[in-house]
């Protein structure tokens, strides 16, 4: 997996550097690097989605507002998703493996954490949880199946501007100029047990 996306987080991350780069380089547990994951091929016809980009998370833990940000690499093969989170210095801080029936979280210098509910596994380990199960659909501008989702479209362009589902509000802020257009910037927000959680994503491809 290429790490070339590490070269340009500085300008985008500047608004989020509330405590300085070195203070946030180890926001996620541990500072040792993990080996970048490989993704096995799946049967022909399965959905393949790859995204590289930048993230910023603002969350509350025990009454204290915290921030985490860096880069991410999303690899989706059918129902299997691998999500790699990297800090601003380019070190892999967490690797998430998700399928409909299983979730695993790898952290530096720790045994892998597993559980049927990925969000709870991530929250216990990192202090926040990314909605991986929903993102597999939301990044493709679709509501996840089996639960109700509400779409809002721009009346002039017809593009989706907001999706509400499973307690999340997903705001689609910017699209590419390509045909068909793809999402470039998306914000997600919700409250978990009364604690706010905000996630900002910029997709580079």
């Amino acid at each position: 997996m290429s790490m070339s996306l590490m070269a340009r987080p500085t300008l985008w991350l500047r608004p989020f550097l509330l405590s300085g780069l070195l203070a946030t380089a180890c926001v996620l547990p541990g500072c040792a690097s993990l080996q970048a994951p490989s993704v096995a091929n799946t049967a022909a016809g399965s959905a393949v989605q790859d995204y590289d980009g930048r993230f910023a998370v603002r969350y509350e833990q025990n009454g204290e507002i915290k921030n985490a940000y860096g880069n991410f690499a999303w690899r989706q093969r059918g129902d299997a998703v691998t999500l790699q989170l990297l800090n601003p210095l380019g070190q892999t801080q967490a690797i998430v493996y998700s399928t409909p029936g299983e979730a695993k979280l790898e952290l530096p210098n720790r045994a892998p954490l597993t559980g049927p509910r990925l969000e709870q596994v991530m929250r216990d380990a990192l202090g926040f949880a990314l909605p991986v199960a929903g993102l597999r659909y939301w990044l493709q501008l679709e509501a996840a199946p089996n639960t109700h989702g509400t779409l809002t479209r721009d009346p002039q362009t017809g593009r989706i501007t907001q999706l509400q589902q499973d307690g999340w509000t997903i705001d689609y802020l910017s699209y590419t100029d390509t045909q068909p257009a793809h999402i470039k910037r998306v914000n997600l927000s919700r409250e978990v047990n009364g604690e706010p959680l905000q996630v900002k994503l910029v997709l580079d491809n």
Side-chain angles (χ1 to χ4, degrees):
M1 181 178 301
S2 173
M3 295 300 173
S4 60
L5 60 98
M6 296 302 104
R8 56 181 184 280
T10 305
L11 292 179
W12 179 82
L13 291 171
R14 189 169 294 164
F16 304 102
L17 297 181
L18 302 181
S19 303
L21 179 62
L22 293 180
T24 57
C26 296
V27 168
L28 301 179
C31 290
S33 296
L34 290 173
Q35 184 177 358
S38 60
V39 180
N41 293 328
T42 56
S46 297
V48 175
Q49 297 292 333
D50 291 345
Y51 304 102
D52 296 305
R54 291 150 282 165
F55 73 91
V57 181
R58 183 176 177 87
Y59 63 102
E60 183 176 335
Q61 188 178 45
N62 300 323
E64 180 181 357
I65 298 297
K66 297 185 178 182
N67 297 274
Y69 34 84
N71 295 272
F72 72 88
W74 174 286
R75 302 293 181 260
Q76 180 176 342
R77 301 294 184 269
D79 289 332
V81 171
T82 300
L83 172 63
Q84 183 183 18
L85 301 179
L86 305 102
N87 68 21
L89 298 183
Q91 297 167 316
T92 300
Q93 294 294 281
I95 301 175
V96 179
Y97 301 91
S98 174
T99 65
E102 184 180 5
K104 182 172 70 172
L105 177 65
E106 292 187 358
L107 302 169
N109 304 318
R110 293 179 58 179
L113 301 174
T114 60
R117 294 184 57 83
L118 177 59
E119 290 193 24
Q120 188 61 52
V121 172
M122 292 186 69
R123 191 176 297 113
D124 291 343
L126 304 179
F128 65 89
L130 300 180
V132 176
L135 277 169
R136 73 174 73 236
Y137 300 98
W138 301 339
L139 291 178
Q140 299 181 56
L141 304 171
E142 299 177 359
N146 303 323
T147 62
H148 178 71
T150 302
L151 291 173
T152 301
R153 295 181 181 271
D154 184 302
Q156 295 182 334
T157 65
R159 289 179 173 176
I160 298 173
T161 58
Q162 187 180 86
L163 169 61
Q164 294 181 322
Q165 188 172 35
D166 297 334
W168 285 92
T169 297
I170 302 98
D171 292 305
Y172 298 99
L173 303 181
S174 178
Y175 285 81
T176 65
D177 295 328
T178 59
Q179 292 296 331
H182 300 284
I183 193 66
K184 287 179 60 177
R185 293 177 56 221
V186 57
N187 288 359
L188 305 94
S189 60
R190 69 172 299 184
E191 285 195 3
V192 180
N193 299 323
E195 297 180 345
L197 174 61
Q198 298 177 338
V199 181
K200 298 182 179 183
L201 301 177
V202 174
L203 306 181
D204 293 332
N205 65 307

